[in-house]
Amino acid sequence: MSTPRSTFLSTAIERGFVHQCTDFVSLDERLRTGRVTAYIGYDCTADSLHVGNLLGIMLLRLFQRCGHKPIVLMGGGTTRIGDPSGKDEARQLLDDAQIARNMAGIRTIFAKFIEFGDAPRDAIMVNNADWLDEVRYIPLLREVGRHFSVNRMLTQDSVRLRLERDQPLSFLELNYPILQAYDFVELARRFGCELQIGGSDQWGNIVGGVELGRRIEGRTLFGLTTPLITTASGAKMGKSVGGAIWLNAEKLSAYEYWQFWRNTEDADVGRFPGVTQRGRFGRQHLFGFVYLAAFEPLEGSDFIYRKLGEKTQEAADVGIFGIAPELPVFVRG
């Protein structure tokens, strides 16, 4: 891939936020020709997101700061099915009241990171239940289902790993990739959305949406994934022995949040995007990196790491973890 010329892609790649893209060259060109609308979807399986979601949130923030329009998609409809990605068994089915409570909790997080409003670059938040609740089954099968190959769906990790382990996969869950793809097309229809962003474990579902848009409407859509941040043991980052590291202050105190970062194992520090690019940084630099990568001016990675060096030197006077207290402020406001 040639060096990106758009501000968003070049900065995101510099900061280690990008894992895969369906078409780097064409997306880079499109980003340079005018404002683009992109979305990230979140199912409402809990009443808060956790630190494992931070990377996607920071990328959406960067997208807006580069002059583009973000959409935060709440999965009020898809939560009723449950995403099988990364799961050894079916998710617990939630009732409508639980989903509504969880959605309300998640909504409060985003105001700290991105700007909502009516201006062209302002973010909007939508709920996929608005259209999925109205979908009729037979028309969905004819319009959408015929474009999905079961043979290919069986090769996706979310399905293949379940079957290889002899773990049940319900027909309900098998429909999830179809509905996620349909979401992308519906957002393109309603809001001119051209880009879906997600974790690397969503790659198959994202590609499905890109291809569905091309097949049924001739649309050019794009997909972009972030690295899936895992610990050295292979677990998704965002969990601890005591449970998830929540972003909502009501679910986790600022002190517990700070302790999570302070106690990050040395083997896990280099797994965070950007830290591996400058191997001389240790655990104490991770705190500053998380803060600076999201909020400092768009001046490239050299600027970030120069600032990290300054902050770490300052922190040395008060202890190696002197910059860690910034993190609760960064997330909780």
Side-chain angles (χ1 to χ4, degrees), residues 51-218:
V51 297
N53 301 117
L54 267 179
L55 191 55
I57 295 172
M58 289 192 292
L59 191 59
L60 208 60
R61 174 184 170 87
L62 174 64
F63 187 74
Q64 185 177 48
R65 294 175 70 200
C66 291
H68 303 291
K69 185 179 186 69
I71 296 176
V72 178
L73 178 66
M74 293 285 96
T78 45
T79 304
R80 297 174 185 172
I81 293 177
D83 184 1
S85 301
K87 294 295 178 182
D88 292 333
E89 58 185 18
R91 295 178 185 268
Q92 178 184 357
L93 293 180
L94 305 179
D95 61 33
D96 289 348
Q98 289 174 303
I99 293 173
R101 285 195 297 270
N102 291 347
M103 190 181 305
I106 293 172
R107 283 178 187 272
T108 63
I109 294 171
F110 288 94
K112 304 180 181 72
F113 296 92
I114 55 181
E115 299 174 10
F116 291 86
D118 299 323
R121 64 179 288 275
D122 284 348
I124 59 174
M125 184 174 287
V126 296
N127 181 357
N128 64 11
D130 291 346
W131 52 85
L132 293 182
D133 283 356
E134 304 302 320
V135 167
R136 297 169 60 202
Y137 190 59
I138 297 300
L140 179 70
L141 290 180
R142 287 180 58 87
E143 179 187 0
V144 178
R146 65 190 179 91
H147 295 292
F148 284 81
S149 163
V150 172
N151 307 62
R152 181 171 178 178
M153 291 174 72
L154 293 177
T155 66
Q156 290 186 215
D157 286 347
S158 59
V159 175
R160 178 180 57 81
L161 294 176
R162 233 12 133 79
L163 299 180
E164 287 178 355
R165 295 168 182 164
D166 248 354
Q167 294 160 336
L169 180 78
S170 70
F171 177 72
L172 182 68
E173 294 172 283
L174 195 61
N175 279 268
Y176 190 94
I178 297 175
L179 295 185
Q180 183 171 334
Y182 184 77
D183 279 345
F184 197 178
V185 174
E186 193 64 28
L187 288 170
R189 290 169 174 167
R190 294 180 179 224
F191 306 105
C193 183
E194 300 174 61
L195 173 62
Q196 180 180 177
I197 299 172
S200 59
D201 58 341
Q202 294 294 312
W203 177 249
N205 294 350
I206 291 173
V207 171
V210 171
E211 293 185 350
L212 183 64
R214 175 179 59 81
R215 288 173 177 169
I216 67 177
E217 295 189 351

